[in-house]
C-alpha cells in the first residue's frame, strides 16, 4: 500500500500552503505547526513532511525551532527540507530532530557537496528533491529553472546510491487538480527500485488510490487536508 505522508509548510512560524510555489498566493491555515503535527500523530500517521518555505526563499534554514518543537512534541518520523545549502544547515536540521532531509537545489548546483552528504549521512537519511516545471528541475524555492532534465538528473544520483526521491510537479502544486500520475509512472518505469514520493495536486482520496494502483510508493499531500477535501480518519484506516 502507498505510504501516506501529510505535509506542513512553514512561513513566519505558521502552517501555510502556496499555489504553484508562488509566495504571493499564500494561505495561512494554522498558527502552530506543532499542534497540527500532534493531530496527525493522534490520527495514526507516523510520517511527516515539513518544508521551511522561509528557508527555501532565504537560502538557509530559518524555521529550525519550529522543526524542533514538532520533533519534541511528537514521535513522528519527520523529513525536512527548505534552505539546506551548507554543512551548517544540514547539521542544524538533524540537530533539530529531522530523521531525513530533502535536498534539491544543492544536488543541481553543487553535486559534489550533495554526494559528500550522501556518503557522510547515508542514503537512508537523504531524500533527493526533484521539483519539475516544463520538464526541467527547478531550484531555490522554485524561483529558478535549471537546465537539468528530470530522468537524466535522477540517473546521476541513483547510480550513486540514492533511493529516496521527492518529485513535485510544480504546475500541480497547491492546485487541487489531481497529481501528475503519468510523470511518476515514467519515473518508476525507468527506476523501479526508487522509493518515489509523489507530490503536488492531490485533491481527494481517489487521487491517492489512483497513485496506489499505478504503483507509486509514497505520496505527500497538504492542501487537500487543510481544505477539508480528505477525511484523514477514513484515509488512515483505508486498506
Amino acid at each position: 500500500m502507498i505510504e501516506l505522508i501529510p505535509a506542513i509548510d512553514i512561513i513566519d512560524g505558521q502552517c501555510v500552503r502556496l499555489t504553484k510555489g508562488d509566495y504571493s498566493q499564500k494561505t495561512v491555515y494554522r498558527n502552530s505547526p506543532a499542534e497540527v503535527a500532534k493531530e496527525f500523530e493522534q490520527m495514526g500517521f507516523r510520517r511527516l513532511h515539513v518544508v521551511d518555505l522561509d528557508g527555501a526563499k532565504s537560502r538557509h534554514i530559518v524555521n529550525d525551532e519550529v522543526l524542533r518543537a514538532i520533533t519534541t512534541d511528537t514521535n513522528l518520523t519527520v523529513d525536512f527540507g527548505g534552505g539546506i545549502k551548507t554543512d551548517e544547515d544540514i547539521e542544524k536540521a538533524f540537530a533539530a530532530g529531522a530523521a531525513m532531509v530533502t535536498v534539491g537545489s544543492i544536488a543541481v548546483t553543487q553535486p559534489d557537496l550533495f554526494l559528500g552528504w550522501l556518503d557522510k549521512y547515508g542514503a537512508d537519511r537523504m531524500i533527493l528533491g526533484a521539483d519539475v516545471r516544463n520538464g526541467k528541475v527547478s531550484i531555490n524555492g522554485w524561483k529558478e529553472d535549471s537546465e537539468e532534465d528530470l530522468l537524466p538528473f535522477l540517473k546521476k544520483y541513483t547510480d550513486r546510491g540514492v533511493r529516496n526521491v521527492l518529485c513535485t510537479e510544480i504546475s500541480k502544486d497547491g492546485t487541487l487538480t489531481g497529481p501528475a500520475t503519468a510523470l511518476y509512472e515514467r519515473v518508476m518505469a525507468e527506476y523501479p527500485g526508487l522509493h518515489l514520493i509523489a507530490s503536488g495536486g492531490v485533491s481527494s482520496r481517489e487521487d491517492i488510490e489512483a497513485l496506489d494502483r499505478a504503483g507509486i510508493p509514497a505520496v505527500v499531500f497538504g492542501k487537500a487536508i487543510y481544505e477539508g477535501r480528505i477525511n484523514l480518519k477514513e484515509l488512515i484506516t483505508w486498506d
Side-chain angles (χ1 to χ4, degrees):
M1 179 178 168
I2 194 167
E3 183 180 18
L4 304 171
I5 310 173
I8 293 177
D9 292 357
I10 303 166
I11 292 178
D12 295 331
Q14 298 175 310
C15 180
V16 308
R17 292 299 289 176
L18 306 180
T19 298
K20 299 182 182 180
D22 185 348
Y23 284 75
S24 69
Q25 297 187 61
K26 178 185 75 173
T27 303
V28 177
Y29 288 102
R30 297 281 293 276
N31 289 326
S32 174
E35 288 298 320
V36 176
K38 282 193 283 188
E39 291 170 12
F40 287 148
E41 184 177 41
Q42 289 164 1
M43 289 178 191
F45 290 96
R46 294 290 173 261
R47 177 85 180 266
L48 180 66
H49 177 63
V50 176
V51 181
D52 181 355
L53 289 174
D54 292 313
K57 191 173 184 179
S58 301
R59 303 191 185 190
H60 62 85
I61 287 180
V62 174
N63 287 293
D64 54 303
E65 288 306 316
V66 179
L67 170 62
R68 189 183 306 277
I70 291 170
T71 60
T72 299
D73 291 349
T74 74
N75 292 309
L76 292 167
T77 298
V78 178
D79 70 78
F80 178 84
I84 297 175
K85 306 293 187 186
T86 65
D87 291 334
E88 181 183 2
D89 287 322
I90 197 169
E91 289 289 350
K92 188 178 287 187
F94 285 135
M100 294 169 279
V101 294
T102 300
V103 178
S105 300
I106 288 298
V108 175
T109 61
Q110 299 182 61
D112 289 342
L113 179 58
F114 177 74
L115 290 171
W117 290 345
L118 189 65
D119 290 340
K120 181 175 180 179
Y121 299 106
D124 59 332
R125 301 195 76 189
M126 303 293 295
I127 301 172
L128 176 62
D131 303 325
V132 183
R133 180 164 45 211
N134 300 321
K136 301 291 186 181
V137 178
S138 291
I139 59 175
N140 296 325
W142 301 351
K143 295 192 296 295
E144 303 171 42
D145 293 336
S146 74
E147 294 302 313
E148 296 273 5
D149 292 313
L150 177 62
L151 293 180
F153 173 72
L154 294 179
K155 180 172 174 53
K156 285 196 301 188
Y157 293 115
T158 57
D159 285 350
R160 296 295 295 269
V162 164
R163 290 295 173 262
N164 301 299
V165 172
L166 174 70
C167 186
T168 302
E169 170 51 73
I170 295 170
S171 68
K172 293 280 191 177
D173 191 70
T175 64
L176 300 173
T177 57
T181 306
L183 171 67
Y184 306 132
E185 287 179 317
R186 288 200 300 274
V187 173
M188 292 304 300
E190 193 76 18
Y191 307 108
L194 276 186
H195 186 75
L196 178 67
I197 307 167
S199 172
V202 170
S203 65
S204 65
R205 172 173 166 170
E206 288 72 26
D207 286 339
I208 295 173
E209 290 172 342
L211 289 169
D212 188 40
R213 289 193 299 272
I216 310 306
V219 58
V220 161
F221 50 102
K223 193 169 187 177
I225 298 171
Y226 305 116
E227 294 286 339
R229 299 289 192 95
I230 293 177
N231 185 316
L232 292 183
K233 290 182 179 178
E234 289 182 2
L235 187 65
I236 199 67
T237 58
W238 163 47
D239 188 350

